[in-house]
């Protein structure tokens, strides 16, 4: 399996220090984000890596090299001008397999990639997006799906969508068909983003996208607060405990009379009233990485 890692970020929200490393080389527990990513996806059968970098690309290439020390083949491609997440992938189209992963270089992902790829293959979609509930949905791009995982629409964070858009957030991990790149991303050097430009365009044109819903560990570290949280999770072994193959505690909750006031035949959001303390209790469950359903 092949993966394209998008590693062009500057990390300006992380540090105002002009000598700070590019965001993908930010240390987490003494190890860079890229090292963490390669150490997790390599053992899952991802042997061919294309790293797209821009800001201080020379530092990224020196740090990672040709991938031999990870047992991987790594190729580096430098963007001379910023091309966005989708434009960067279009620029390396000649290097792409027919099916590949897109991994954002500022997200720590510990995901069962084989299961995600198998789901994608069954879906017949042009791309599959990893989606999950997170603790900042209104600051995230949300994905609206049907009950089978078919993507119906994207709700961008700047769209000011309310609760009607749900809480499934785009986790910045995709399985992509090369034909999506060739057919839906023009090769014109214009910066384009997958979530803002390409995926909505695919949906408007009748193309199929699917959503892989997961409770595994997918956290961005793009701000000091989020970085500190990821470092704490790593120190506590949280990513490993959240893997699909790991046993996890779970709590099953009734809705009426437990989470919301018992109102017969609820049909409108206006009829929903949270029971005092229910939201904070759910927040504590989520913070403890306990599954709640």
């Amino acid at each position: 399996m092949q993966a394209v890692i998008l590693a062009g970020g500057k990390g300006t929200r992380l540090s105002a220090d002009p000598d700070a490393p590019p965001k993908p080389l930010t240390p987490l527990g003494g190890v860079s984000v890229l090292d963490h990513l390669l150490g997790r996806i390599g053992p899952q059968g991802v042997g061919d890596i294309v790293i797209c970098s821009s800001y201080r690309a020379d530092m990224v290439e020196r740090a990672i090299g040709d991938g031999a020390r990870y047992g991987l083949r790594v190729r580096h491609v430098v963007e001379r001008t910023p091309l966005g997440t989708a434009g960067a992938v279009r620029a390396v189209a000649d290097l792409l397999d027919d099916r590949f992963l897109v991994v954002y270089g500022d997200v720590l992902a510990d995901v069962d990639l084989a299961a995600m790829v198998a789901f994608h293959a069954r879906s017949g979609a042009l791309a599959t997006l990893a989606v999950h509930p997170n603790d900042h949905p209104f600051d995230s791009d949300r994905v609206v799906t049907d009950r089978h995982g078919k993507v119906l629409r994207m709700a961008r964070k700047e769209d000011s969508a309310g609760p009607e858009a749900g809480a499934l957030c785009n986790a910045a991990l995709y399985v992509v068909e090369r034909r999506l790149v060739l057919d839906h991303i023009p090769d014109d050097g214009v910066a384009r983003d997958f979530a803002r430009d390409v995926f909505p365009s695919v949906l408007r044109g009748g193309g199929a996208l699917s959503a892989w819903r997961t409770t595994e560990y997918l956290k961005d570290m793009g701000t000091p607060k989020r970085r500190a949280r990821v470092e704490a999770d790593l120190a506590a072994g949280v990513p490993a405990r959240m893997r699909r193959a790991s046993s996890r505690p779970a709590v099953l909750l009734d809705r009426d009379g437990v989470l919301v006031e018992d109102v017969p035949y609820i049909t409108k959001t206006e009829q929903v009233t949270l029971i005092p303390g229910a939201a904070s209790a759910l927040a504590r469950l989520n913070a403890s990485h306990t599954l709640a359903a």
Side-chain angles (χ1 to χ4, degrees):
M1 175 63 76
Q2 182 185 59
V4 177
I5 299 180
L6 303 176
K10 289 184 178 182
T12 51
R13 290 190 300 168
L14 278 169
S15 174
D17 182 356
D19 296 323
K23 184 157 53 171
L25 295 184
T26 300
L28 296 173
V31 180
S32 78
V33 184
L34 276 180
D35 280 303
H36 280 291
L37 284 174
L38 294 175
R40 282 167 168 75
I41 66 178
Q44 295 199 60
V46 180
D48 183 23
I49 308 290
V50 178
I51 296 180
C52 299
S53 55
S54 177
Y55 178 70
R56 295 193 171 177
D58 57 329
M59 290 182 65
V60 174
E61 185 164 1
R62 286 198 305 271
I64 304 302
D66 62 3
R69 64 190 172 95
Y70 308 92
L72 304 171
R73 177 197 187 195
V74 174
R75 289 172 286 177
H76 297 264
V77 178
V78 180
E79 299 174 33
R80 299 305 174 189
T81 58
L83 294 173
T85 58
V89 174
R90 183 62 178 85
V92 298
D94 291 344
L95 304 179
L96 299 177
D97 290 347
D98 288 340
R99 178 178 294 157
F100 59 95
L101 295 162
V102 173
V103 184
Y104 286 36
D106 61 352
V107 174
L108 185 65
D110 199 322
V111 174
D112 186 339
L113 297 175
M116 182 177 174
V117 171
F119 172 84
H120 168 78
R122 293 192 300 270
S123 76
L126 287 171
T128 292
L129 294 66
V131 300
H132 64 159
N134 69 21
D135 57 2
H136 51 95
F138 296 109
D139 186 35
S140 302
D141 294 331
R142 286 177 285 164
V143 182
V144 182
T145 76
D146 67 12
R147 62 190 181 91
H148 302 292
K150 179 181 178 181
V151 176
L152 302 178
R153 69 182 179 94
M154 308 286 293
R156 292 281 294 172
K157 53 189 174 184
E158 59 265 31
D159 292 340
S160 300
E164 75 280 357
L168 287 181
C169 300
N170 180 2
L173 173 67
Y174 314 134
V175 185
V176 180
E177 298 293 316
R178 184 171 183 266
R179 57 196 173 95
L180 178 148
V181 175
L182 298 178
D183 295 345
H184 293 274
I185 309 176
D187 185 19
D188 56 7
V190 174
R192 290 182 175 85
D193 180 80
F194 274 111
R196 184 189 65 238
D197 305 309
V198 176
F199 292 151
S201 175
V202 169
L203 293 174
R204 287 194 298 270
L209 301 175
S210 65
W212 167 249
R213 184 170 182 169
T214 180
T215 59
E216 297 164 291
Y217 197 85
L218 283 155
K219 299 284 187 183
D220 80 82
M221 37 64 65
T223 68
K225 182 178 179 180
R226 292 177 189 173
R227 176 190 175 190
R229 181 170 179 177
V230 171
E231 287 196 298
D233 287 345
L234 284 169
V238 170
R241 295 204 305 271
M242 293 178 66
R243 290 172 184 161
R244 283 167 56 87
S246 299
S247 297
R248 294 176 62 184
V251 176
L252 301 180
L253 300 162
D254 195 5
R255 184 190 72 176
D256 299 333
V258 176
L259 298 177
V260 303
E261 292 185 2
D262 190 358
V263 177
Y265 308 111
I266 291 177
T267 59
K268 297 181 292 185
T269 57
E270 292 81 3
Q271 296 173 283
V272 177
T273 302
L274 282 173
I275 289 178
S280 59
L282 282 175
R284 290 195 297 274
L285 284 174
N286 291 332
S288 70
H289 306 290
T290 299
L291 294 172

